[in-house]
Amino acid sequence: MAAKKTEISKRATDVLALLKREYPVAICELTHESAFQLLAATILSAQCTDVRVNMVTPALFEAYPTPAKLAAANISHVEQLVRSTGFYQTKAKNLIGMANQVMSRFGGEVPRTMDELLLLRGVARKTANVVLGNAYGLAEGIAVDTHASRLSLRLGLTDTV
């Protein structure tokens, strides 16, 4: 068992070195200008590409530039704006619910802790980690999705998913 852990550790070190060479500056592909925008964009990114989200968010952020504006939004208008991201009814409810909670619980400021972010509608650990890492520069954890799990298996970093 110890030999296998050592082998996986060596493999992980090699993969990390390769990734650092290929991608010396890794950035979040979601276009955003604030923690609020990144939070909204990340909620929209579920089961959707970052390219599609980046096509949708300019109109969304123009109509609803702040948590207060989004909290007061008409749900059918938000649904119309985010429709092409898929699951638009749920995403619209999550966006408006998140904005209401940011206003009522956090005075209009997107929280800076994992525990507080997880209280927001539509936010799970992946979304919280994206916001903490990219908006606030806090390394609370790793944003892992099905792609990361699949690649970890393919790269020999794990034998289970």
Side-chain angles (χ1 to χ4, degrees):
M1 188 65 152
K4 184 168 183 145
K5 282 186 179 183
T6 302
E7 178 185 328
I8 290 175
S9 180
K10 167 88 170 85
R11 179 80 176 136
T13 301
D14 292 345
V15 168
L16 182 59
L18 176 65
L19 289 171
K20 283 183 177 182
R21 271 197 317 273
E22 290 294 317
Y23 306 99
V25 181
I27 59 165
C28 178
E29 294 293 328
L30 294 170
T31 304
H32 64 282
E33 295 178 0
S34 67
F36 167 67
Q37 287 186 357
L38 179 58
L39 177 55
T42 306
I43 289 170
L44 289 174
S45 73
Q47 301 297 310
C48 186
T49 67
D50 292 350
V51 171
R52 170 57 58 189
V53 172
N54 288 338
M55 293 169 69
V56 166
T57 52
L60 178 69
F61 298 151
E62 183 177 333
Y64 307 106
T66 66
K69 296 274 189 190
L70 185 56
N74 176 290
I75 192 156
S76 62
H77 186 240
V78 176
E79 287 175 350
Q80 176 188 357
L81 291 172
V82 304
R83 185 179 195 96
S84 67
T85 65
F87 305 99
Y88 66 95
Q89 292 168 319
T90 299
K91 289 179 181 182
K93 286 178 192 169
N94 286 343
L95 288 171
I96 293 171
M98 169 275 292
N100 273 297
Q101 291 172 306
V102 166
M103 294 306 299
S104 66
R105 291 182 175 197
F106 304 105
E109 296 293 323
V110 173
R112 294 175 178 257
T113 70
M114 176 66 71
D115 289 341
E116 291 174 325
L117 283 165
L118 292 175
L119 296 173
L120 300 176
R121 184 166 180 158
V123 176
R125 294 191 74 80
K126 177 187 172 190
T127 296
N129 278 317
V130 169
V131 171
L132 290 172
N134 292 281
Y136 297 131
L138 300 172
E140 181 84 13
I142 300 171
V144 176
D145 61 10
T146 57
H147 304 295
S149 298
R150 189 180 77 246
L151 286 173
S152 295
L153 185 63
R154 182 176 279 179
L155 292 170
L157 302 176
T158 184
D159 57 5
T160 60
V161 179

